[in-house]
Amino acid sequence: MDHERLFSYGTLQTESVQLSTFGRRLPGGPDALVGYRLRMIKIEDQEFVATSGAEYHRTLEFTGSASDFVEGTVLSVTQSELEQADAYEPTGYERIVVKLRSGTEAWVYLNSAAIN
């Protein structure tokens, strides 16, 4: 079974969200995304708010500065679980590939407005 890497800096790191979304606790380890910082945004997707319990969500903002970084967890997921994560994320988020501080390539979710 092929595994994908998914970098989470938010709710997907929590056991309760993993269990409700994937039906299991995901293996993973700490890493960081360099050149980004966090900012809070209000989630308009009410289904996500109900599932996650979070009305505000942290999103990544690209700065390009080596002194900015966001710590999180690299999760090992199957292709099917990656698709479940796509369905879990709120409207307006896109999944892109990034290179983490460790050199690992992983998927991460960004608010579409933060990509432009």
Side-chain angles (χ1 to χ4, degrees), residues 2-95:
D2 286 339
H3 278 80
E4 299 278 350
R5 304 241 181 304
L6 176 62
F7 180 72
S8 174
Y9 53 91
T11 56
L12 282 176
Q13 296 178 92
T14 60
E15 185 173 0
S16 61
V17 170
Q18 289 179 12
L19 292 174
S20 67
T21 304
F22 308 108
R24 70 181 183 112
R25 179 91 171 100
L26 301 175
D31 211 329
L33 180 57
V34 178
Y36 289 81
R37 65 181 174 200
L38 289 174
R39 69 181 172 98
M40 297 296 284
I41 60 168
K42 184 172 178 161
I43 298 299
E44 304 299 331
D45 182 340
Q46 292 306 307
E47 187 175 326
F48 177 83
V49 172
T51 303
S52 69
E55 184 178 355
Y56 288 86
H57 198 65
R58 298 185 299 175
T59 191
L60 294 172
E61 180 175 63
F62 179 74
T63 65
S65 171
S67 63
D68 288 331
F69 63 92
V70 175
E71 294 183 334
T73 304
V74 180
L75 302 167
S76 181
V77 296
T78 65
Q79 181 62 41
S80 174
E81 288 169 335
L82 196 56
E83 291 165 9
Q84 289 172 293
D86 288 347
Y88 166 78
E89 287 295 323
T91 303
Y93 276 71
E94 284 183 45
R95 177 169 41 98

